[in-house]
């Protein structure tokens, strides 16, 4: 048990407490793929925190007359009861209970919504777990003393237990999760902000192209598991850590020529792990490859520093500095949107993390 985050002497309350927090999604540049219990990453990862792809979560804590054994909660998402969300949340509450044992004294009513289009294929586990963790730690802060710094780390720590990548949605513009020797304060149990990055990267743009809005064939949970007996796992973890070492000075100096190949390699290596898992699977779609080819051709012919990354799905994240947003916007509209479902995309940019709303 991580002692730093054990709940301190708690002053229980008989009042109803109500709080609302929003959290953004994030996009990994150095990918996390492979973990061990309890949700410990097998390599360090690094991401841009986003601004527009957001989950807003409202939580009401109602004191119970008698405490229960497990956490009592209800969940409504975008106006509807969501029984299918319960197993994941039950697992989450079981994991966090040692760190927030006071939760068994309350009925916890959760109401949540996303700002990005429903079933867009944009993963909402990072934003939703970070927003929920922010509400839970806000409540803890009413019952006990917790420093501002510990509060953010604890939100990241709890969010990680719900979804690994959620640990990186708490602050911005760039977060690292997983112990890495080039980042002195990095940890496996929570994410830290990466400071001193060049201003070029603090307002980077990410246009998320919605290539395939269908349900993924293979979940991230299964994908992570398949890394346990993957023939290339050890090399992959080493390589991701090496990419992180390599990209840090690039982020500090603003070297786009160095940035682009690392980011694109990471995306393709992640998908290469999927294609070489046993059983193997492919999450990219033909249009994912069409878009990648168009980006390469455009970059080659114009010299405009635009590149792509992928998460565990078919959608493409088009990354570029704000300074070239105008011409890249024209390129996206004319050449990339035809490959998207109903020409849909989400224009996003680097952001600062969780916020009370
Ligand atoms: O947090 P999870 O379990 O959904 O895994 C996320 C994995 C990737 O999105 C593919 C990579 C990452 O680092 O975010």
């Amino acid at each position: 048990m991580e002692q730093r985050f054990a709940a301190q002497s708690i002053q229980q309350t008989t009042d109803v407490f109500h709080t609302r927090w929003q959290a953004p999604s994030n996009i990994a540049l150095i990918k996390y793929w492979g973990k061990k219990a309890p949700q410990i990453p097998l390599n360090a990862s690094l991401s841009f925190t986003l601004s527009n792809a957001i989950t807003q979560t409202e939580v009401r804590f109602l004191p119970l007359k008698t405490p229960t054994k497990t956490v009592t909660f209800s969940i409504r998402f975008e106006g509807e009861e969501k029984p299918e969300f319960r197993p994941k949340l039950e697992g989450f509450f079981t994991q966090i209970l040692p760190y927030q044992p006071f939760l068994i004294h309350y009925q916890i009513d959760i109401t949540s919504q996303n700002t990005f289009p429903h079933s867009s294929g944009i993963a909402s586990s990072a934003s939703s777990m970070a927003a929920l963790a922010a509400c839970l730690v806000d409540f803890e802060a009413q019952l006990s003393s917790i420093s501002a710094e510990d509060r953010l780390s604890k939100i990241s720590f709890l969010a990680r237990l719900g979804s690994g990548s959620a640990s990186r949605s708490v602050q911005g513009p760039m977060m690292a999760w997983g112990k890495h020797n080039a980042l002195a304060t990095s940890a496996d149990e929570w994410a830290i902000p990466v400071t001193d990055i060049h201003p070029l990267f603090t307002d980077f743009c990410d246009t998320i192209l919605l290539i395939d809005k269908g349900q993924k064939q293979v979940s991230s949970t299964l994908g992570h598991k398949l890394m346990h007996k993957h023939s290339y796992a050890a090399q992959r973890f080493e390589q991701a850590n090496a990419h992180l070492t390599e990209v840090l000075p690039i982020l500090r100096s603003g070297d786009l020529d160095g940035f682009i190949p690392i980011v694109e390699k990471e995306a393709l290596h992640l998908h290469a792990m999927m294609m070489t898992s046993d059983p193997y699977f492919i999450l990219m779609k033909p249009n994912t490859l069409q878009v990648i080819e168009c980006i390469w051709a455009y970059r080659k012919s114009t010299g405009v520093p635009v590149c792509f990354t992928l998460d565990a799905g078919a959608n493409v994240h088009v990354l570029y500095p704000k300074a070239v947003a105008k011409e890249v916007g024209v390129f996206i509209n004319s050449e990339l949107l035809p490959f998207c479902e109903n020409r849909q995309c989400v224009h996003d940019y680097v952001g600062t993390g969780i916020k009370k709303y």
Side-chain angles (χ1 to χ4, degrees):
M1 169 145 170
E2 178 61 45
Q3 285 308 327
R4 180 178 171 200
F5 295 120
Q8 301 306 315
S9 57
I10 295 290
Q11 211 59 46
Q12 246 149 258
T13 165
T14 49
D15 297 333
V16 173
F17 181 74
H18 173 238
T19 187
R20 313 197 294 190
W21 285 80
Q22 65 177 44
S25 189
N26 68 76
I27 180 65
L29 304 174
I30 307 295
K31 309 290 183 180
Y32 141 67
W33 197 243
K35 61 178 170 184
K36 62 183 182 192
Q39 200 85 316
I40 299 297
L42 292 170
N43 63 260
S45 59
L46 177 87
S47 54
F48 275 142
T49 304
L50 296 178
S51 293
N52 283 340
I54 276 174
T55 299
Q56 297 179 315
T57 298
E58 206 169 326
V59 183
R60 212 170 260 280
F61 299 85
L62 299 106
L64 292 168
K65 285 211 171 70
T66 37
T68 45
K69 271 210 170 69
T70 54
V71 175
T72 311
F73 70 93
S74 69
I75 170 74
R76 286 178 75 79
F77 179 71
E78 300 190 340
E80 285 174 28
E81 295 281 342
K82 287 282 174 186
E84 64 271 37
F85 288 4
R86 292 196 67 87
K88 185 160 179 152
L89 283 167
E90 277 160 13
F92 172 65
F93 281 122
T94 306
Q95 295 253 23
I96 70 163
L97 206 47
Y99 303 98
Q100 292 199 316
F102 55 87
L103 291 179
I104 56 168
H105 294 278
Y106 299 88
Q107 152 82 30
I108 299 168
D109 292 332
I110 308 164
T111 315
S112 192
Q113 62 197 28
N114 290 342
T115 59
F116 42 91
H118 195 52
S119 355
S120 57
I122 298 178
S124 61
S125 59
S127 52
S128 59
M129 284 301 171
L132 177 57
C135 293
L136 295 172
V137 173
D138 191 15
F139 182 45
E140 181 179 333
Q142 308 300 312
L143 307 178
S144 73
S145 66
I146 173 166
S147 72
E149 197 205 334
D150 272 2
R151 206 186 283 207
L152 287 170
S153 305
K154 184 155 185 180
I155 295 169
S156 174
F157 174 85
L158 295 182
R160 169 198 123 243
L161 292 169
S163 165
S165 55
S167 64
R168 300 187 312 241
S169 277
V170 177
Q171 289 169 269
M174 186 158 258
M175 297 288 281
W177 171 44
K179 190 85 200 121
H180 190 282
N181 55 21
L183 291 166
T185 57
S186 60
D188 281 339
E189 293 85 2
W190 63 91
I192 58 159
V194 178
T195 48
D196 304 331
I197 64 172
H198 192 278
L200 179 76
F201 292 113
T202 59
D203 58 4
F204 229 65
C205 301
D206 175 6
T207 299
I208 311 166
L209 303 177
L210 307 183
I211 304 283
D212 182 62
K213 303 195 287 160
Q215 188 74 26
K216 273 190 296 190
Q217 295 307 304
V218 178
S219 68
S220 294
T221 308
L222 179 58
H224 286 295
K225 266 202 193 116
L226 292 175
M227 288 304 282
H228 284 299
K229 55 183 183 76
H230 197 296
S231 317
Y232 307 138
Q235 295 95 316
R236 165 61 199 152
F237 302 141
E238 227 173 79
Q239 175 199 51
N241 285 328
H243 281 160
L244 183 48
T245 307
E246 210 182 320
V247 85
L248 287 173
I250 288 170
L251 294 171
R252 288 182 175 130
S253 66
D255 167 18
L256 279 173
D257 291 338
F259 177 78
I260 290 172
I262 297 176
V263 169
E264 293 191 343
K265 263 191 271 182
E266 272 294 307
L268 295 180
H269 291 175
L270 167 71
H271 283 257
M273 288 300 108
M274 299 172 186
M275 288 191 258
T276 49
S277 289
D278 188 8
Y280 47 84
F281 59 102
I282 301 179
L283 295 184
M284 289 188 282
K285 296 283 178 198
N287 282 355
T288 311
L289 294 180
Q290 296 273 20
V291 163
I292 291 174
E293 297 229 334
C294 282
I295 291 172
W296 284 342
Y298 174 77
R299 190 168 74 222
K300 194 168 179 200
S301 65
T302 61
V304 174
V306 53
C307 66
F308 74 87
T309 189
L310 307 166
D311 58 16
N315 294 337
V316 181
H317 290 247
V318 186
L319 301 173
Y320 47 95
K322 196 172 171 200
V324 296
K326 214 167 166 195
E327 57 260 52
V328 174
V330 173
F331 160 63
I332 289 174
N333 274 332
S334 64
E335 292 187 48
L336 302 185
L337 290 193
F339 295 114
C340 300
E341 267 195 44
N342 306 322
R343 295 181 62 88
Q344 269 189 295
C345 70
V346 173
H347 290 291
D348 215 331
Y349 53 91
V350 167
T352 51
I354 56 164
K355 210 168 83 187
K356 207 165 188 145
Y357 73 97

